[in-house]
Amino acid sequence: MKAENAEFWAAARNVAEIPRPRAPEIAVAGRSNVGKSTLINRLTGRKRLARTSATPGCTRGLIFYAIGERMVLVDLPGYGWARRSVAEREAWKPLVEGYLSKRRVLAGVLVLADIRRGPQEEELQLAEYLDAHD
């Protein structure tokens, strides 16, 4: 998908900061440093739309990228090991769970896994959570 009109739209570090919906959303989830931001850049054809880093845990909230008026990609904070405080990482759980369970425009969730390790316990738990919440 070449998306010249892809742009950063909003960021939310808590549930109150989640923006009002504007289009169907696809969330991108996975471990810290699995390549969520890189995937967003590849899908949109933009090299620097989503920030990438070799340091795990740089996505510190929900990051919304509008693809014109058609759809929104949402970069979720990574789970697993991240170079952030325990308190900060624990604050991500209610944010992500609140978003995933209550966002009516959420059309799907892409769960990325490291092919070298296969699905780990966190990916399986996320899949169960998503299945339980449709």
Side-chain angles (χ1 to χ4, degrees), residues 22-95:
R22 73 189 260 181
E25 296 173 357
I26 304 290
V28 182
R31 292 180 152 289
S32 295
N33 243 28
V34 75
K36 297 178 302 295
S37 297
T38 299
L39 175 66
I40 289 170
N41 288 338
R42 293 283 173 107
L43 288 173
T44 61
R46 302 268 308 272
K47 291 183 179 181
R48 292 184 179 90
L49 178 63
R51 293 168 122 194
T52 59
S53 172
T55 304
C58 285
T59 303
R60 301 169 76 178
L62 306 178
I63 312 296
F64 295 79
Y65 300 96
I67 314 301
E69 298 299 319
R70 296 180 306 152
M71 68 181 290
V72 174
L73 294 174
V74 183
D75 195 355
L76 304 181
Y79 48 82
W81 189 82
R83 284 193 182 170
R84 299 291 170 227
S85 70
V86 172
E88 183 175 1
R89 285 183 285 150
E90 287 177 358
W92 295 341
K93 185 176 180 179
L95 171 64

Side-chain angles (χ1 to χ4, degrees), residues 2 8 43 63 69 74 92 99 102 106 117 120-121:
K2 186 82 170 163
F8 169 83
L43 288 173
I63 312 296
E69 298 299 319
V74 183
W92 295 341
Y99 170 77
K102 296 183 175 105
L106 182 60
R117 292 177 179 79
Q120 299 292 304
E121 185 63 28

Side-chain angles (χ1 to χ4, degrees), residues 100-118:
L100 293 175
S101 66
K102 296 183 175 105
R103 193 68 165 181
R104 293 193 181 267
V105 295
L106 182 60
V109 179
L110 299 174
V111 180
L112 302 184
D114 188 328
I115 195 167
R116 297 169 295 181
R117 292 177 179 79

